[in-house]
Amino acid sequence: MRDHDGRAERAAHLQRLLFGGVYGTVLASALAAALDHEAGPDAPGYDAVWVLLAALASAAAHGYAHTIARQTTEKTAVTAGTVRSVLAEWPLLAAVLPTVAALLGSHAGWWGEGAAIDVALALNTLALFGWGFWAARVAGRGRAAACRVGGVDMLLGLFIIGANVLSK
């Protein structure tokens, strides 16, 4: 029984990791694509902080929602479990770091903000492929099936890039 509980716990951890990675990557891509400074000067430092704060708020909201859902079904108190649930959303925060790093590179003067956004969108699209591929492999799928799953995940990134191009 103990081994089964350990496997279930590992599976739940992996599921949260994969969910947070995909969700955070899509969130970072959507936020980066929405950055537009046509009415004023570029502000990549501000934008990097904004992306990070939006991800932090999303992670906190998601973790808190998990706690509320458990409280509703299990009739438990919202206490330290809330903090643990919010902290378990770290993969979402980690997934936005490439976008934040690209924007901070622009803030440091290494490249323009437009280039930082383009790089972030490209990296995030590749990351989405990786998340999908990894999830499929963990689920026991072969390489070809994992590539298909990764390709479908990658379509999310390509959709955001296409919407970004069309909206500008």
Side-chain angles (χ1 to χ4, degrees):
M1 181 75 168
R2 177 174 273 184
D3 187 41
H4 176 61
D5 289 344
R7 279 184 289 182
E9 188 175 317
R10 281 191 303 276
H13 177 70
L14 184 58
Q15 181 182 21
R16 192 164 243 176
L17 174 67
L18 293 168
F19 173 84
V22 170
Y23 185 84
T25 303
V26 170
L27 176 67
S29 295
L31 290 170
L35 297 175
D36 185 10
H37 296 288
E38 289 181 13
D42 286 350
Y46 171 84
D47 292 338
V49 170
W50 178 246
V51 169
L52 193 57
L53 288 175
L56 183 62
S58 295
H62 191 257
Y64 183 69
H66 274 289
T67 300
I68 295 300
R70 276 194 305 274
Q71 180 188 21
T72 302
T73 60
E74 298 173 7
K75 308 284 190 235
T76 59
V78 180
T79 57
T82 302
V83 174
R84 282 192 301 276
S85 188
V86 169
L87 292 176
E89 296 298 327
W90 69 265
L92 191 155
L93 291 172
V96 304
L97 293 180
T99 298
V100 170
L103 290 167
L104 289 176
S106 176
H107 180 71
W110 297 342
W111 47 74
E113 187 170 21
I117 292 168
D118 291 344
V119 165
L121 292 174
L123 285 174
N124 290 345
T125 300
L126 291 173
L128 285 167
F129 176 86
W131 287 118
F133 183 86
W134 184 30
R137 292 296 288 164
V138 166
R141 305 249 174 112
R143 289 187 195 272
C147 283
R148 285 191 299 274
V149 172
V152 170
D153 277 8
M154 198 166 101
L155 288 176
L156 293 168
L158 294 174
F159 172 77
I160 292 168
I161 290 170
N164 186 42
V165 168
L166 293 174
S167 69
K168 305 215 171 162

